[in-house]
Amino acid sequence: AAGVIQSPRHLIKEKRETATLKCYPIPRHDTVYWYQQGPGQDPQFLISFYEKMQSDKGSIPDRFSAQQFSDYHSELNMSSLELGDSALYFCASRLSPRGIQYFGAGTRLSVL
Amino acid sequence: DQQVKQNSPSLSVQEGRISILNCDYTNSMFDYFLWYKKYPAEGPTFLISISSIKDKNEDGRFTVFLNKSAKHLSLHIVPSQPGDSAVYFCAASEAGNTPLVFGKGTRLSVIA
């Protein structure tokens, strides 16, 4: 069965650079969620989209933005990267209203 | 303020015995609870879930119990196997298309 695909798996950036993370949800899933997991931390919700519209917003910095496209894939854009942005970024998708959230393998972002 | 709490950072169990992982929550609006298993460098993998209208859900070796009055849930794994060694996250959500709130995880080690 198709799973949530995230790319790239690993990303190394310098401070103040920009990064774009991509997420391809499970086919027919209409909701995408982004989470950030710092070292030794639990995943923290950033932002979600339902049917290409932003549905919920969590602790996402103003330097980050995201969108969901017509093919339901989503991109998380991160600008003016800081050392503290180094983390695992997970995308999850679900079929609303009561589907399980299924997670991708994550993108490990390292900011040097 | 941690709305979902897993107070045991780690747990060691002998192969064949029962593993019991605990989770407490504070938000009375949560109505759906999930357990995810996570290996290093992978995304969280859905294990089992329970709706607030139930007090038990079973799937093979995995059983989740929910005590709403105590705001407590637990995951039982019987019998435990070495392949169960991973970090287990408890997660909860409110009704609707809402994001998950995670606990900090419990690292389970099953010793052969």
Side-chain angles (χ1 to χ4, degrees):
Chain A
V4 178
I5 306 295
Q6 289 188 248
S7 68
R9 289 295 312 276
H10 304 275
L11 194 56
I12 299 174
K13 291 286 184 179
E14 304 257 338
K15 277 173 53 177
R16 292 180 288 278
E17 286 191 319
T18 61
T20 297
L21 279 56
K22 297 186 179 182
C23 170
Y24 296 85
I26 292 171
R28 294 187 301 281
H29 281 195
D30 52 17
T31 310
V32 167
Y33 302 83
W34 286 96
Y35 294 86
Q36 177 192 58
Q37 185 180 22
Q41 300 296 314
D42 50 304
Q44 293 287 321
F45 170 67
L46 293 177
I47 195 166
S48 63
F49 294 87
Y50 167 66
E51 285 291 347
K52 292 157 278 185
M53 299 285 291
Q54 182 182 307
S55 53
D56 261 304
K57 197 170 182 181
S59 51
I60 184 169
D62 292 339
R63 300 177 288 107
F64 294 7
S65 65
Q67 57 183 320
Q68 187 179 30
F69 295 85
S70 58
D71 64 351
Y72 290 92
H73 95 272
S74 178
E75 293 184 4
L76 178 66
N77 299 294
M78 311 159 73
S79 62
S80 303
L81 286 169
E82 301 173 356
L83 295 177
D85 296 328
S86 296
L88 270 169
Y89 291 83
F90 291 109
C91 171
S93 74
R94 72 183 284 185
L95 179 62
S96 66
R98 260 323 192 188
I100 302 297
Q101 284 191 35
Y102 291 96
F103 284 78
T107 294
R108 180 174 292 280
L109 172 66
S110 299
V111 181
L112 306 178
Chain B
D1 177 35
Q2 193 78 16
Q3 296 185 69
V4 177
K5 299 176 186 177
Q6 294 177 256
N7 292 318
S8 299
S10 62
L11 176 68
S12 286
V13 171
Q14 278 206 306
E15 181 179 8
R17 302 282 202 146
I18 183 172
S19 295
I20 300 176
L21 292 88
N22 294 304
C23 177
D24 298 291
Y25 62 95
T26 58
N27 185 347
S28 57
M29 299 299 291
F30 287 148
D31 77 337
Y32 196 57
F33 304 88
L34 308 90
W35 285 93
Y36 285 86
K37 177 179 177 181
K38 188 178 180 306
Y39 294 115
E42 293 184 14
T45 301
F46 169 72
L47 205 53
I48 193 168
S49 63
I50 188 166
S51 163
S52 61
I53 61 172
K54 294 187 172 182
D55 55 16
K56 178 182 174 181
N57 188 25
E58 194 171 349
D59 183 2
R61 297 186 298 114
F62 303 93
T63 304
V64 56
F65 295 92
L66 175 62
N67 183 333
K68 280 180 61 181
S69 60
K71 294 192 175 68
H72 175 85
L73 63 154
S74 61
L75 173 68
H76 292 210
I77 306 174
V78 181
S80 301
Q81 300 173 354
D84 295 329
S85 297
V87 176
Y88 288 78
F89 286 99
C90 172
S93 68
E94 298 182 19
N97 224 2
T98 55
L100 295 174
V101 178
F102 285 86
K104 292 199 175 295
T106 296
R107 181 177 300 278
L108 173 65
S109 300
V110 180
I111 304 158

